[in-house]
Amino acid sequence: MSGRVTAVSSNGEYSFTKPNRDSIRLLAGLGVEGDVHAGVTVKHRSRVAQDPTQPNLRQVHLIHEELFAEVGEEGFKVAPGDLGENLTTRGIDLLGLPVGTLLRIGDSAVLEVTGLRNPCLQIDNFQDGLLKQVVGRDEAGNIVRKAGIMSIVREGGVVRPGDTIDMELPSGPHRPLDRV
């Protein structure tokens, strides 16, 4: 299974949304060059407050563009970068990937999937009621998070809209994604 990058976004300042770019550069072990969340240790404010020495498992945030159509059916208007993601994708079931999946993007970049984004109240500050659209419960009462996945950069490279994304599933038993 493969997909495509439909948009790339980054921001050097703490802000909920991230402006779209013509390209971004992924740096191995760090994240998106110039992005406020790049680094070896955690950069998200709530995580820094808990323990600033934690490894940064949230270097690159990916969201599937199909989510925008889904929430659009409920009256919400969301575009690439609006929810703070670095890569907007199409054609890959990001939420169904197991931990450790490698995403080979463009000519040389490789991301390793670490887990699910844990949606926060900032989503409702962006558009009131949107949080309920991206986090809910399934029929069994389990929490379902739909606001994308997080990853770390294994191999750097430049990523542009239109780049292909190829997946390499991990060997051994697959572990479902959980929040990171």
Side-chain angles (χ1 to χ4, degrees), residues 13-180:
E13 300 176 11
Y14 280 104
S15 172
F16 183 68
T17 62
K18 295 187 181 203
N20 295 154
R21 309 287 183 190
D22 293 332
S23 66
I24 57 174
R25 180 176 301 279
L26 301 180
L27 303 173
L30 295 173
V32 178
E33 182 177 55
D35 192 82
V36 71
H37 293 111
V40 175
T41 57
V42 293
K43 300 301 176 198
H44 288 76
R45 289 177 175 168
S46 63
R47 310 263 168 150
V48 170
Q50 291 173 356
D51 178 3
T53 66
Q54 293 176 71
N56 188 2
L57 301 178
R58 299 166 56 103
Q59 293 175 356
V60 181
H61 176 199
L62 298 88
I63 283 186
H64 51 297
E65 188 176 68
E66 293 85 351
L67 177 66
F68 304 157
E70 181 183 326
V71 300
E73 291 175 7
E74 300 300 323
F76 296 93
K77 185 174 169 129
V78 180
D82 281 352
L83 298 181
E85 76 275 10
N86 301 111
L87 274 75
T88 308
T89 69
R90 173 173 287 285
I92 292 180
D93 177 15
L94 295 176
L95 304 178
L97 297 174
V99 172
T101 299
L102 297 180
L103 301 175
R104 299 185 182 282
I105 305 171
D107 293 333
S108 60
V110 179
L111 298 177
E112 180 180 335
V113 175
T114 56
L116 295 169
R117 176 191 185 183
N118 192 31
C120 64
L121 288 175
Q122 289 185 27
I123 292 176
D124 268 350
N125 294 337
F126 173 69
Q127 285 185 43
D128 190 40
L130 184 57
L131 182 60
K132 286 184 181 178
Q133 300 298 314
V134 298
V135 65
R137 295 198 179 267
D138 64 15
E139 302 79 31
N142 300 311
I143 294 175
V144 176
R145 294 172 178 87
K146 298 190 259 183
I149 64 170
M150 306 307 286
S151 64
I152 57 175
V153 181
R154 286 291 179 210
E155 295 179 31
V158 174
V159 177
R160 295 176 180 84
D163 281 351
T164 59
I165 305 169
D166 293 311
M167 294 183 317
E168 183 180 320
L169 296 174
S171 60
H174 291 181
R175 292 184 301 137
L177 297 179
D178 199 0
R179 68 185 174 102
V180 293

